[in-house]
Amino acid sequence: MHEEMLAARPVSCPYCGTPFELLVDGSQGSHSTWEDCPCCCAPIQVSVEVAEPEGSVQAVTLARDDDVL
């Protein structure tokens, strides 16, 4: 992980609606991962879209585990 590639993104939990800041690593390219809500501990799928080749984060999408196919 490259610290200069970390971007703090304001997001809200898709379960309880609690707002929080999520650190997103653009050096990994576009990817999906799972994070737990810091309030209700529900599993959140995080999808990150990264522009190539500069590695800037274009979009961050959060989804509930029951929304993921």
Side-chain angles (χ1 to χ4, degrees):
M1 175 170 38
H2 300 25
E3 288 184 29
E4 66 274 2
M5 298 297 285
L6 292 178
R9 294 290 176 128
V11 296
S12 294
C13 175
Y15 293 93
C16 68
T18 299
F20 62 97
E21 281 201 345
L22 181 67
L23 286 178
V24 180
D25 185 3
S27 70
Q28 296 181 33
S30 295
H31 63 281
S32 292
T33 188
W34 292 89
E35 296 288 334
D36 290 335
C37 172
C39 183
C40 70
C41 300
I44 303 168
Q45 184 189 41
V46 179
S47 296
V48 179
E49 184 181 326
V50 176
E52 300 294 336
E54 67 272 1
S56 62
V57 176
Q58 298 297 303
V60 177
T61 306
L62 277 61
R64 298 166 61 112
D65 67 342
D66 53 353
D67 291 337
V68 178
L69 299 176

